[in-house]
Amino acid sequence: MFLTGSDPLDPDRETAGGFLDKRAQRYYREQMSEQYLHGYHASVLASHAWRTAENSAAYLLEYLEPGMDVLDVGCGVGTITTDLATHVPGGRVLGIDRAAEVLDRAADLAVARGVENVQFEQADVYSLPYADGSFDVVHAHQVLQHLKDPVAAITEMRRVLRRGALLAVRDADYGAMTWYPEAGLTGWRDLYQQVSAAHGAQAQAGRRLLAWVRAAGFGQVEAGASTWCFSDPEERAYWARTWSERMQHSGVAEKAIRTGLVDQAELDRISAAWQDWAADDDGWFVVVHGEVLARA
């Protein structure tokens, strides 16, 4: 496993599909300014590190076979990616992300786990530096909700799939999330949806996945849903801690302040509301996800 040494953001770099064409170079100029809303604060990375193939990609696992070539888009710190590699022995899993700092962590994780059929590379989903029909599976978890043009991204994922190969996408739907006690966190969700909209993204991505995938040209599509549920004291503490800290220090907090949606006092109140929720023995929170499997 390795992190590639060449600069994948260089539009003149040679790739598996040859030098990037004019279309790809235009995407690099126009789209690379699209930054991940949450940023890379420790609270965000801690949330990502909790994810596994079992708790975040279970709908895909039964379709994985030995020898497959898999592309994991938006791999982050690599916990799901490395898990996927164990499900395709003799195959190859390539994790891509736009942030070099998380790819370093992902490569270290693969080494620590002794998983050798996984690689990590910096790349942009709008202009994947791979030849047409390069992969048996393209997977993206919690990626499309952060993009300004998710259909363009899915279309590019479709390009690198082999005929009959599988697309697997999963995204949360903030509007469908629910919790108890109900008081306290409504302000958090309202603010997050406003920040996401100001960023040009779609917080209700989960319910739109089917429409986006169909718009990208897929005909054989299967849509479903699954949840994360946080209810016991340890789960509540973990989930509340990640959001309490995000509302103080992450890119979400920075953009909320910068766009004038709230002041610091309101962020403090929302952060405290998460802590109060975690301390309540009746606390319960469900994250609803849309899931789509589609054949190229």
Side-chain angles (χ1 to χ4, degrees):
M1 75 299 297
F2 61 90
L3 177 64
T4 55
S6 60
D7 180 8
L9 302 186
D10 178 2
D12 294 323
R13 87 165 201 179
E14 190 172 4
T15 70
F19 288 97
L20 297 184
D21 59 17
K22 295 296 185 182
R23 177 186 63 86
Q25 292 186 39
R26 184 171 66 254
Y27 270 126
Y28 274 113
R29 291 194 300 270
E30 295 176 356
Q31 301 291 351
M32 285 305 291
S33 62
E34 189 171 307
Q35 300 298 315
Y36 176 43
L37 172 59
H38 291 242
Y40 301 97
H41 183 264
S43 59
V44 178
L45 299 186
S47 174
H48 294 177
W50 170 84
R51 300 170 185 172
T52 66
E54 285 67 30
N55 68 29
S56 299
Y59 71 111
L60 168 63
L61 298 184
E62 66 180 284
Y63 298 95
L64 299 179
E65 299 176 1
M68 279 184 162
D69 292 322
V70 179
L71 178 65
D72 188 22
V73 176
C75 65
V77 295
T79 50
I80 297 175
T81 321
T82 304
D83 281 349
L84 292 177
T86 67
H87 288 268
V88 290
R92 171 184 67 127
V93 176
L94 175 60
I96 63 167
D97 205 287
R98 292 173 61 181
E101 58 266 40
V102 296
L103 293 174
D104 290 336
R105 289 187 52 163
D108 289 344
L109 175 69
V111 171
R113 291 185 178 179
V115 179
E116 298 184 349
N117 62 327
V118 61
Q119 303 170 7
F120 297 96
E121 183 172 56
Q122 195 172 13
D124 180 7
V125 67
Y126 289 114
S127 185
L128 297 170
Y130 314 114
D132 296 358
S134 294
F135 298 95
D136 300 301
V137 176
V138 174
H139 168 262
H141 182 262
Q142 311 289 26
V143 172
L144 298 174
Q145 64 183 277
H146 301 294
L147 302 181
K148 294 179 174 65
D149 193 347
V151 174
I154 298 168
T155 301
E156 181 67 351
M157 292 185 230
R158 181 172 177 260
R159 180 186 66 79
V160 300
L161 281 169
R162 294 172 180 141
R163 182 179 295 275
L166 189 65
L167 173 77
V169 291
R170 183 177 193 251
D171 267 276
D173 191 310
Y174 281 77
M177 293 181 188
T178 189
W179 58 85
Y180 185 86
E182 296 176 1
L185 297 183
T186 301
W188 157 77
R189 179 164 61 185
D190 290 346
L191 175 61
Y192 182 83
Q193 291 175 326
Q194 292 176 56
V195 173
S196 179
H199 191 66
Q202 178 52 258
Q204 275 69 264
R207 69 189 69 180
R208 290 172 166 81
L209 291 184
L210 174 59
W212 289 343
V213 170
R214 286 171 51 81
F218 285 88
Q220 300 181 51
V221 183
E222 178 182 336
S226 64
T227 63
W228 289 334
C229 184
F230 305 95
S231 58
D232 70 30
E234 183 176 350
E235 292 169 344
R236 290 199 311 272
Y238 153 74
W239 188 238
R241 181 173 62 253
T242 63
W243 273 108
S244 178
E245 294 180 2
R246 281 194 218 196
M247 299 313 295
Q248 294 278 356
H249 308 294
S250 74
V252 176
E254 293 170 6
K255 193 170 187 72
I257 292 289
R258 189 168 63 251
T259 54
L261 291 170
V262 292
D263 57 18
Q264 186 60 50
E266 178 62 13
L267 290 181
D268 293 344
R269 188 200 67 75
I270 292 174
S271 179
W274 272 108
Q275 297 171 25
D276 292 342
W277 172 82
D280 193 318
D281 289 338
D282 296 327
W284 179 88
F285 197 108
V286 167
V287 179
V288 177
H289 299 89
E291 298 172 342
V292 168
L293 294 168
R295 293 284 179 185

